[in-house]
Amino acid sequence: MKKLNKILSVVMSLAIAMSLSVSALAVDTDTSSNEALITNYLESINSGDWNDWVSFYAPSVQSDYQAFVSNDSNLENNTGILTVNSVDVLSVEKVDNSYAPKVYPELMEYFADESTYECYKVDMATTVNEDNGYFSNGTSSHLVILVKDNDGWHVGTLLGCPSELNGVTALSNITPRKGYGFCDCGSEPSTINVMDEKGTVHKNESFEEFVVNATCNEIGNMGYDTDALKANIMAVKMCGWWAVEAEYRQSYGCDIKNGDVNYRSKLNTTNANTQTVRDAVSDLDGWRMVSSSGTGGKLFYAAFFAGSSNSTGKGTGQLRQNGSNYLATSLGYDWKEILHYYYDNSSYNNPNVGTVQITNS
């Protein structure tokens, strides 16, 4: 009986080992297949057929990229990735999912489950028609986010590479950080590249005018209390500032686009309301909001959405626009208190921000 038990134990051990090996092989095969997908996606540019390049994207985002590459002006102006005429993929390496910015509106359905998105670092050598600030001649590092639906894996987006991974090959020695969202905070940008609702990229738009435009078209006609208005302006401002540093929308040749914020080809506010927004933006000149001093005072994605007129959302890292007005009018919060209410100790697409620093440099 002991001999039989020993034989059964050995058989079970072998079965488990074989099962683990098969499982590991499946993971390796999946990863290898996705690396090949990314290589094919990027090197498809070499054929000059941008429709082929678009075909690698998830069905839910293909139409936006199709419109982008079909725009003759974008092609003529070498906008975004359209300036690239050749690609040689040097390496593709899977990195921790925490490096994927989980703030793309069109990809949120995939970010809800860790099994339906993956993040890869890509090093590639490119030649370009002209250096447009996002792509240039030479070697560069980027991130590619893959997403999975019923048809399998597809490309979700291409974006800039965080500084600690840029040029790094021994990724096994890198300790993953919890969220791509932190960026170093230097001087406030004077300009920003932003795409409107028509797909037109406004290069070197005045950063102040960007804040005015997006604020007007987000909430400019809502008649918000002054403190609520200022809190919303700061959210728009810091969202745009982060996007400049993160190279958030580099494929499109811009830092941020309509859909991320409500930047439009024209203002939808009355003249009086537009002036109210401009005055509030002017009052906030020089002000910034960054993470706590314990994290080095980093930029983070200051998310916001309409929400309801109540006090929900504290500490979520997502300002509720209608909620901010409720806090100001019903609870007497000033604009700084509103920002602390929503952003303090939040971890939306970034490590915990701690108590945010709101300063006038």
Side-chain angles (χ1 to χ4, degrees):
M1 181 63 71
K2 289 183 179 180
K3 185 175 181 179
L4 178 59
N5 287 340
K6 186 175 182 179
I7 292 173
L8 288 173
S9 178
V10 170
V11 171
M12 290 178 65
S13 297
L14 287 171
I16 292 172
M18 290 175 66
S19 174
L20 291 174
S21 296
V22 170
S23 177
L25 179 60
V27 172
D28 289 343
T29 301
D30 198 34
T31 299
S32 177
S33 176
N34 284 348
E35 290 172 353
L37 169 66
I38 292 169
T39 298
N40 292 336
Y41 152 70
L42 290 167
E43 293 189 348
S44 70
I45 293 171
N46 297 332
S47 70
D49 183 354
W50 287 104
N51 292 324
D52 185 28
W53 178 79
V54 169
S55 71
F56 285 89
Y57 280 90
S60 60
V61 301
Q62 276 189 17
S63 60
D64 280 348
Y65 284 101
Q66 187 63 59
F68 173 70
V69 302
S70 300
N71 185 311
D72 291 338
S73 177
N74 289 338
L75 287 166
E76 292 170 5
N77 294 320
N78 295 308
T79 303
I81 201 165
L82 296 178
T83 193
V84 179
N85 54 50
S86 73
V87 176
D88 180 16
V89 175
L90 306 175
S91 66
V92 181
E93 300 176 83
K94 192 175 186 302
V95 297
D96 193 87
N97 270 2
S98 64
Y99 283 102
K102 302 173 186 66
V103 294
Y104 291 93
E106 68 273 26
L107 300 179
M108 294 307 289
E109 62 180 298
Y110 301 104
F111 294 146
D113 188 333
E114 286 282 329
S115 69
T116 54
Y117 73 98
E118 291 184 349
C119 190
Y120 290 81
K121 173 182 173 286
V122 180
D123 288 340
M124 62 185 189
T126 55
T127 63
V128 300
N129 297 317
E130 67 171 307
D131 185 336
N132 61 17
Y134 299 98
F135 299 94
S136 58
N137 289 319
T139 302
S140 56
S141 298
H142 306 263
L143 293 183
V144 174
I145 299 174
L146 297 185
V147 295
K148 186 179 184 181
D149 58 23
N150 293 332
D151 296 327
W153 289 96
H154 307 274
V155 176
T157 193
L158 169 74
L159 66 148
C161 186
S163 57
E164 70 264 31
L165 294 182
N166 194 18
V168 175
T169 55
L171 293 181
S172 59
N173 296 326
I174 299 293
T175 300
R177 55 175 165 165
K178 297 300 181 184
Y180 174 63
F182 279 167
C183 292
D184 292 334
C185 181
S187 300
E188 179 178 326
S190 58
T191 62
I192 186 171
N193 298 331
V194 55
M195 180 185 288
D196 66 24
E197 82 285 3
K198 297 178 179 179
T200 301
V201 175
H202 299 254
K203 293 185 177 180
N204 299 317
E205 170 75 291
S206 159
F207 189 70
E208 181 176 320
E209 190 59 32
F210 157 77
V211 176
V212 170
N213 183 305
T215 304
C216 283
N217 290 315
E218 288 279 354
I219 60 160
N221 285 328
M222 300 291 287
Y224 280 0
D225 177 272
T226 299
D227 280 294
L229 174 61
K230 287 184 175 181
N232 279 269
I233 287 170
M234 287 296 294
V236 169
K237 180 178 184 177
M238 300 316 301
C239 182
W241 192 338
W242 173 87
V244 170
E245 296 298 327
E247 297 186 342
Y248 175 54
R249 292 289 189 180
Q250 65 172 207
S251 290
Y252 288 105
C254 62
D255 303 308
I256 200 166
K257 72 183 191 73
N258 178 269
D260 303 319
V261 296
N262 195 11
Y263 178 94
R264 305 183 73 82
S265 53
K266 65 178 183 178
L267 302 182
N268 290 326
T269 40
T270 65
N271 290 338
N273 286 337
T274 298
Q275 190 58 52
T276 297
V277 172
R278 289 192 183 280
D279 291 343
V281 170
S282 180
D283 288 344
L284 293 170
D285 182 41
W287 285 92
R288 66 180 64 187
M289 177 180 66
V290 295
S291 64
S292 71
S293 58
T295 57
K298 302 285 188 179
L299 294 171
F300 62 94
Y301 190 95
F304 54 86
F305 66 100
S308 300
S309 183
N310 54 39
S311 61
T312 59
K314 182 177 182 179
T316 60
Q318 294 176 285
L319 178 144
R320 272 67 165 172
Q321 293 167 328
N322 292 319
S324 68
N325 196 51
Y326 173 84
L327 294 179
T329 58
S330 299
L331 302 182
Y333 281 41
D334 65 27
W335 65 270
K336 293 180 186 177
E337 291 173 326
I338 293 171
L339 293 174
H340 281 296
Y341 186 87
Y342 289 113
Y343 294 114
D344 277 359
N345 303 310
S346 62
S347 301
Y348 183 81
N349 186 52
N350 43 259
N352 193 303
V353 300
T355 301
V356 296
Q357 301 178 76
I358 305 170
T359 59
N360 188 347
S361 51

